Amino acid sequence: MKRLLLLLVLLTGLSGCGAKGPSAQVAATTLPVYEFTTRICQGTGITVTRLVTEQVSCLHDYSLNVRQVKAAEAAQTIVISGAGLEAFMEDLLEKDKVIDASGGISLLESHQEHLHEDHEECEFDPHIWLSPANAKAMAENICSGLSAKYPEYSDTFRENLGGLMSDLEALAAYGKAELSGLSCRELVPFHDGFSYFASAFDLHILKAVEEESGQEASAKELKEIIGLVEEHHLPAIFTERSGSDSAAGIISRETGCRVSQLDMAMTGDSYFDAMERNIDAIKEALG
């Protein structure tokens, strides 16, 4: 029995010596930075973990669960989208382990009007990835940050970045081609996060309304939006995939406009699929 135990110990030790674990542990907050980081790290052995996996449209009141906190604490490096999006987890963000993908990107002001509030909040819109040009800048920032932290993989990072950049350029070209001949270029989205998308594809947001869960639009607010739809002859208004559609349904019944759906491309399975769905939805609704 003693010989058998000794043999098992030796075999376990040899197995442990021969196994190669991940050379680094990286956590990324949301789908876009996770997807970009994963693409850039291909072939390096670096393990990339996504922190936010739930289907959400906004992170302003988000809180990490125990699993997510542990993953963030265990990571050697955390890649964030930046521009204030990850304010909910600032206590976990040690400066020396963070790569901020938003560096050098010009931010647009956010004119976010919450239903049942008497004023308009003005802040910067953090949804920068909805512009393919911004996504390219984010990928470049991630590549540079990873190269500084793991210089032994810098050539692989840069080679992988080239393929990612080509895909982002193809996405931009697809959007411009598909949306070039729209009969209407005005949007009323029920989420204040599509400014960069609109700017990228020469669209104009007439009004963005953030409809909070459990808060219905007042008669005055509905009348204002109905007036915009009728004045500009809008064929459609746009809800967000994870948001409320209660007010949009009322407006549709009153005006006859369609209710189409857009995706923040912040969660889900594929940033590129979400962006292409947005482009297709705009073309179908406003073409």
Side-chain angles (χ1 to χ4, degrees):
M1 180 64 71
K2 289 182 179 179
R3 288 180 179 179
L4 180 59
L5 289 173
L6 178 59
L7 179 61
L8 289 172
V9 170
L10 288 173
L11 289 174
T12 301
L14 290 173
S15 176
C17 291
K20 291 184 179 180
S23 57
Q25 180 69 30
V26 175
T29 53
T30 58
L31 174 64
V33 288
Y34 168 76
E35 192 166 343
F36 301 162
T37 303
T38 300
R39 289 278 302 268
I40 291 168
C41 288
Q42 284 179 347
T44 64
I46 293 175
T47 300
V48 183
T49 301
R50 177 155 51 128
L51 295 179
V52 179
T53 57
E54 298 90 339
Q55 188 67 46
V56 295
S57 61
C58 190
L59 295 178
H60 71 271
D61 57 356
Y62 189 84
S63 60
L64 297 176
N65 60 35
V66 174
R67 178 197 65 79
Q68 293 165 325
V69 170
K70 288 182 177 179
E73 290 176 340
Q76 295 176 344
T77 302
I78 299 179
V79 182
I80 67 172
S81 184
L85 186 74
E86 288 88 358
F88 68 94
M89 58 178 294
E90 59 185 8
D91 292 342
L92 290 172
L93 297 177
E94 301 173 24
K95 187 175 181 180
D96 61 344
K97 62 190 283 187
V98 170
I99 297 174
D100 187 338
S102 68
I105 295 176
S106 297
L107 302 180
L108 299 176
E109 284 191 344
S110 169
H111 296 281
Q112 180 168 305
E113 184 174 328
H114 291 270
L115 299 179
H116 294 301
E117 290 183 355
D118 297 327
H119 63 279
E120 190 176 77
E121 298 175 2
C122 184
E123 54 187 7
F124 289 114
D125 183 349
H127 306 90
I128 54 178
W129 60 88
L130 289 172
S131 157
N134 285 348
K136 289 176 63 179
M138 294 171 75
E140 180 68 51
N141 287 335
I142 294 169
C143 182
S144 297
L146 289 171
S147 295
K149 290 180 178 295
Y150 312 109
E152 65 272 27
Y153 298 124
S154 59
D155 290 343
T156 303
F157 291 150
R158 185 58 55 178
E159 181 178 353
N160 291 338
L161 177 66
L164 177 55
M165 289 295 204
S166 295
D167 288 347
L168 289 168
E169 289 167 4
L171 175 64
Y174 175 75
K176 289 178 180 179
E178 291 297 299
L179 303 181
S180 62
L182 294 179
S183 60
C184 174
R185 308 198 74 85
E186 285 75 38
L187 304 180
V188 174
F190 280 78
H191 191 291
D192 186 45
F194 292 101
S195 296
Y196 298 99
F197 183 90
S199 178
F201 299 113
D202 192 27
L203 304 170
H204 175 58
I205 295 179
L206 293 174
K207 187 179 187 65
V209 181
E210 193 82 10
E211 189 172 21
E212 301 270 346
S213 177
Q215 291 185 335
E216 303 271 328
S218 67
K220 178 181 178 181
E221 290 157 341
L222 287 172
K223 183 178 179 180
E224 179 184 1
I225 301 170
I226 288 170
L228 283 174
V229 171
E230 293 177 339
E231 177 185 354
H232 294 271
H233 306 288
L234 301 184
I237 54 179
F238 297 87
T239 58
E240 200 280 324
R241 183 180 178 189
S242 299
S244 171
D245 62 359
S246 58
I250 295 172
I251 294 165
S252 175
R253 290 191 292 272
E254 289 292 322
T255 65
C257 74
R258 292 179 53 184
V259 177
S260 294
Q261 192 177 80
L262 296 177
D263 193 328
M264 292 304 302
M266 183 163 55
T267 55
D269 298 325
S270 169
Y271 164 81
F272 287 94
D273 287 351
M275 288 291 288
E276 289 177 7
R277 284 196 301 269
N278 286 341
I279 292 166
D280 294 344
I282 293 287
K283 181 179 180 180
E284 182 179 356
L286 303 183

